[in-house]
Amino acid sequence: MGPLTPRLLMQRGRPKSDRLGKIRSLDLSGLKLLSEHLDLSLLGRLKQLQELDLSNNQLETLPANLGLPHLRILRCANNQLGDVTALCQFPQLEELSLEGNPFLTVNDNLKVSFLLPKLRKVNGKDASATCSQVRAYWEKFMTALGPEEETEKVQTDFVKSAVRDVRYGPESLSEFTQWRVQMISEALVASGGTQVHEAHVTKRSSQATAACKSRTRLMASKRAEDVPLNPSSTKRVRSSSSAQMEGGDHVGPDNGQPALQLEPLHFLQCHSRNNSPRDLETQLWACAFEPAWEEGHSGATSQTVATCGGEAVCVIDCQTGIVLHKYKAPGEEFFSVAWTALTVVTQAGHKKRWSVLAAAGLRGLVRLLHVRAGFCCGVIRAHKKAIATLCFSPTHETHLFTASYDKRVILWDIGMPNHDYEFQASQLLTLDSTSIPLRLCPVASYPDTYLLAGCEGGCCCWDVRLDQAQKRRTCEVEFTFPDGTETSGRRVDGLAFVNEDVVASKGSSPGTICLWSWSQTWRARGSQSQVHVVILARLQWSLTELAYFSLSACPEEGLVLCGDEEGNVWIYDIRPILKQPPPLAAAPQAPTQILKWPQPKALGQTVTKTMVNTVVANAAFTYLTALTDSNVVAIWKRC
């Protein structure tokens, strides 16, 4: 589509007229318009325009001076908008549609409430309308100043420090909070610190909380039948008590080291059939935290977690407990989820980052979910049998490993999405196993060279270098474990790298988690196809004979995590072991602490006893998410 013409506007305008100044409604949807196609001199002639439809185009920005003073209804769904501040030029706007803009967040949906004072509807829903905290900060700030301070510099410093230091509301809305704090601070400075106009502030914290929750629901999937966003009050219970630790000996090898303090925040049954609180049968299998959104901020962490079980994948804000998105695939049973963060280039040549969530399970299909836009944008027919687990490469953002009950692991390149957010995946490698692969880990020190897998029959490793001619490969090395821990031919159902060298693994032999060295084991291999692992230490775990408890690690904190059949989470601080491994004859190291499931009364009698089969923490161990066999997602926060 090229630039707009008067003839096109008159064809698509209502009422029909030969004069642009008489058009009141204009439909410009589906024309593949770019931002530069919006001719200001032409659109400025639409003096009586009240309704404008720009949906289903490729707009990245709206010009700041469109000149439509009477516009009441604006539809901008399914574009590529990345900012909403230009909407303030439409003070008469009453209805706004922004769905399907993948680069807009819940923060942007909140901003429009303050930018547009007459707004009644956003995305078809009612629009509802942190000044006291900023005022208190202003008073404290002014008290600390000397009389010789220059007024202009003081005001500038106040706005900067307020944006930096004022905290209010959930972390997921921090960008919106900073934006609002800056507006309020500037208004406060302009008024001399005496008042802030009512239109610019939120009167009460309760109203702010309600606004946050209502706007979060705006990030739902476009298909209404897939979006029961918030569990009912009978299905979501918040416990105010601190998480209980097992009494007695919960201090690990570094005697005297204080235990982690964790508070149970939320318990959700967001995967239950028909949203029934009585459904305790739907099995939950996997969860994963979203990678940090900020490009180049390696230390940043996410508080958004994806969970899967039954026919649903849920994306949850850990702080608020709100289910931001829910994707359902009738007839499917999801077993695994994995995130990647892609860098996409828009038609205007701008680079933008957004997260893609892969989900797979019983039907052997991988669904690529565009979480922010709320829809499935690609399906890979990966295997003829069920997919047990997924894993993205840590170095190639589009490379995805899928492990199936057909005893194969396949490496896919999901590719970059086109402008309609569609993926075209290609198969790169097929890796054959002698048993079903259950867990996948690219080797931390050589992620582009070797892939490690815990399987029903043991632990296998493949060479995954793409510069080799052979595209179908058998297991290169099988790792075996000495008697007393896992033995050759035994299931390895837990596997994670604790750092670039140390691997934590758990097998069907009860009571033990093994820590072993990848580098020392590999050096001892020679040309053998089977090699004994070099064990550094053993960790004491539950004596249960049940299997499929997913082990995980938090390398940044030096922690290993694993659930058990009693609903407990075993937490091991292995930093002392990494510094000085104990003698191999030593007894297994006790956990640093055991996080116990709260008493039944804390759950409103929903669950009396449960098995934690999956537990994952985000990078800084701020949030911990656990899945149970009784259809409950549990979220803890580090105090």
Side-chain angles (χ1 to χ4, degrees):
M1 178 69 192
L4 299 176
T5 64
R7 181 179 179 182
L8 176 66
L9 298 188
M10 287 185 286
Q11 286 177 343
R12 288 191 163 234
R14 296 290 184 276
K16 288 296 183 181
S17 172
D18 58 356
R19 295 179 59 185
L20 295 180
K22 292 186 177 182
I23 295 177
R24 294 179 178 272
S25 175
L26 180 61
D27 182 2
L28 297 178
S29 62
L31 296 178
K32 299 183 179 180
L33 292 173
L34 302 177
S35 298
E36 53 265 33
H37 293 155
L38 299 180
D39 187 333
L40 300 183
S41 61
L42 184 61
L43 294 175
R45 295 163 61 184
L46 301 168
K47 299 299 184 181
Q48 299 302 318
L49 191 67
Q50 297 184 17
E51 182 175 352
L52 176 60
D53 191 346
L54 293 171
S55 27
N56 300 304
N57 285 297
Q58 297 168 8
L59 304 175
E60 294 185 20
T61 59
L62 288 176
N65 50 349
L66 276 175
L68 303 174
H70 301 292
L71 194 66
R72 294 188 302 103
I73 300 173
L74 177 62
R75 298 186 180 92
C76 294
N78 301 317
N79 279 280
Q80 298 185 48
L81 296 176
D83 185 56
V84 297
T85 53
L87 295 173
C88 65
Q89 66 182 295
F90 308 124
Q92 304 301 318
L93 205 63
E94 298 175 3
E95 295 185 23
L96 176 65
S97 174
L98 292 171
E99 292 176 309
N101 283 275
F103 304 114
L104 294 182
T105 69
V106 62
N107 296 287
D108 297 300
N109 285 319
L110 278 168
K111 288 178 183 179
V112 297
S113 298
F114 295 93
L115 293 172
L116 304 170
K118 294 189 177 181
L119 194 65
R120 295 186 296 104
K121 285 188 177 181
V122 178
N123 298 341
K125 298 183 180 181
D126 289 338
S128 51
T130 46
C131 167
S132 58
Q133 195 176 29
V134 176
R135 186 186 302 280
Y137 188 83
W138 166 263
E139 293 173 355
K140 180 180 178 182
F141 183 87
M142 293 302 294
T143 302
L145 293 176
E148 68 281 359
E149 298 281 356
E150 296 181 10
T151 303
E152 185 175 348
K153 182 178 183 299
V154 166
Q155 294 173 346
T156 302
D157 289 347
F158 166 70
V159 173
K160 289 181 179 178
S161 62
V163 171
R164 182 184 66 245
D165 297 333
V166 171
R167 296 291 179 264
Y168 184 84
E171 293 173 16
S172 60
L173 302 177
S174 59
E175 191 269 333
F176 166 73
T177 302
Q178 290 184 349
W179 179 82
R180 284 294 298 133
V181 165
Q182 180 167 349
M183 290 179 63
I184 296 171
S185 302
E186 290 173 349
L188 193 62
V189 167
S191 68
T194 58
Q195 62 180 0
V196 180
H197 196 273
E198 185 177 296
H200 294 140
V201 300
T202 304
K203 288 185 178 179
R204 299 176 183 175
S205 60
S206 60
Q207 290 177 331
T209 303
C212 292
K213 291 183 178 180
S214 64
R215 293 308 184 278
T216 303
R217 297 189 184 99
L218 299 178
M219 299 300 291
S221 165
K222 290 184 288 185
R223 297 192 301 167
E225 65 271 20
D226 287 350
V227 200
L229 288 182
N230 272 322
S232 65
S233 58
T234 59
K235 296 173 61 184
R236 173 179 159 207
V237 183
R238 174 172 176 138
S239 172
S240 59
S241 61
S242 296
Q244 300 181 33
M245 308 303 170
E246 186 175 31
D249 187 16
H250 64 264
V251 178
D254 189 17
N255 291 329
Q257 182 172 343
L260 293 167
Q261 296 298 315
L262 293 143
E263 175 192 7
L265 290 182
H266 309 286
F267 299 90
L268 303 99
Q269 280 183 276
C270 47
H271 289 267
S272 56
R273 293 187 186 91
N274 301 319
N275 285 335
S276 170
R278 292 181 292 276
D279 174 21
L280 301 180
E281 305 300 322
T282 298
Q283 293 288 292
L284 308 185
W285 293 109
C287 57
F289 276 91
E290 181 181 12
W293 182 257
E294 297 84 5
E295 188 174 9
H297 289 65
S298 58
T301 59
S302 169
Q303 66 178 33
T304 304
V305 68
T307 61
C308 70
E311 63 181 13
V313 174
C314 293
V315 179
I316 303 167
D317 182 292
C318 288
Q319 180 158 339
T320 63
I322 293 174
V323 181
L324 301 175
H325 310 281
K326 185 172 183 179
Y327 175 81
K328 294 172 67 176
E332 179 65 276
E333 183 174 3
F334 288 106
F335 294 153
S336 185
V337 287
W339 292 90
T340 188
L342 301 180
T343 301
V344 298
V345 180
T346 66
Q347 284 194 341
H350 302 143
K351 289 185 177 181
K352 293 187 178 181
R353 298 274 288 179
W354 53 272
S355 297
V356 174
L357 179 65
L362 185 65
R363 298 177 65 180
L365 305 175
V366 178
R367 290 174 168 83
L368 301 174
L369 308 180
H370 191 325
V371 175
R372 289 198 165 200
F375 63 91
C376 177
C377 49
V379 176
I380 304 173
R381 301 186 180 278
H383 298 268
K384 292 184 178 179
K385 291 189 176 181
I387 295 174
T389 189
L390 301 168
C391 176
F392 275 101
S393 165
T395 55
H396 296 281
E397 60 189 14
T398 64
H399 286 190
L400 174 67
F401 292 97
T402 61
S404 170
Y405 284 80
D406 61 12
K407 300 180 183 179
R408 292 176 183 171
V409 176
I410 297 179
L411 173 59
W412 303 87
D413 187 345
I414 66 173
M416 299 300 292
N418 59 24
H419 294 296
D420 293 324
Y421 301 101
E422 298 170 338
F423 287 89
Q424 292 294 327
S426 59
Q427 185 173 331
L428 302 178
L429 290 176
T430 300
L431 311 173
D432 292 316
S433 173
T434 56
S435 62
I436 298 171
L438 303 173
R439 311 292 176 207
L440 297 177
C441 283
V443 173
S445 53
Y446 301 98
D448 296 327
T449 305
Y450 299 110
L451 177 71
L452 193 62
C455 306
E456 285 281 3
C459 195
C460 296
C461 180
W462 294 270
D463 186 328
V464 294
R465 286 176 288 186
L466 295 175
D467 57 359
Q468 309 291 322
Q470 190 177 11
K471 299 304 178 185
R472 184 159 191 169
R473 304 170 189 177
T474 57
C475 175
E476 183 168 331
V477 183
E478 181 182 353
F479 295 105
T480 59
F481 298 81
D483 294 335
T485 58
E486 297 106 319
T487 59
S488 179
R490 291 290 184 90
R491 176 192 301 117
V492 176
D493 60 355
L495 192 68
F497 272 86
V498 179
N499 58 24
E500 286 202 348
D501 180 56
V502 178
V503 185
S505 64
K506 181 179 70 66
S508 59
S509 230
T512 305
I513 292 172
C514 205
L515 297 180
W516 52 279
S517 169
W518 162 266
S519 61
Q520 295 180 46
T521 302
W522 195 255
R523 282 197 298 268
R525 174 207 171 196
S527 59
Q528 303 175 75
S529 60
Q530 282 194 352
V531 59
H532 287 296
V533 300
V534 177
I535 295 179
L536 302 177
R538 300 183 182 96
L539 306 177
Q540 175 190 344
W541 185 64
S542 169
L543 292 174
T544 180
E545 295 184 358
L546 297 174
Y548 307 117
F549 293 90
S550 178
L551 173 153
S552 66
C554 189
E556 291 82 355
E557 298 288 311
L559 298 174
V560 173
L561 311 164
C562 193
D564 72 6
E565 79 287 1
E566 295 292 334
N568 303 319
V569 177
W570 298 58
I571 303 176
Y572 308 85
D573 185 343
I574 64 168
R575 288 173 293 185
I577 298 176
L578 297 178
K579 292 178 182 177
Q580 186 175 0
L584 281 184
Q589 300 289 313
T592 308
Q593 67 190 72
I594 297 177
L595 181 65
K596 295 185 70 67
W597 192 260
Q599 296 299 315
K601 62 182 180 180
L603 298 176
Q605 303 298 331
T606 301
V607 179
T608 57
K609 187 177 179 181
T610 190
M611 178 179 81
V612 174
N613 54 28
T614 304
V615 57
V616 174
N618 65 348
F621 203 77
T622 307
Y623 294 97
L624 180 149
T625 301
L627 306 184
T628 75
D629 67 341
S630 53
N631 189 24
V632 174
V633 179
I635 298 172
W636 279 267
K637 183 177 182 180
R638 187 174 180 175
C639 299

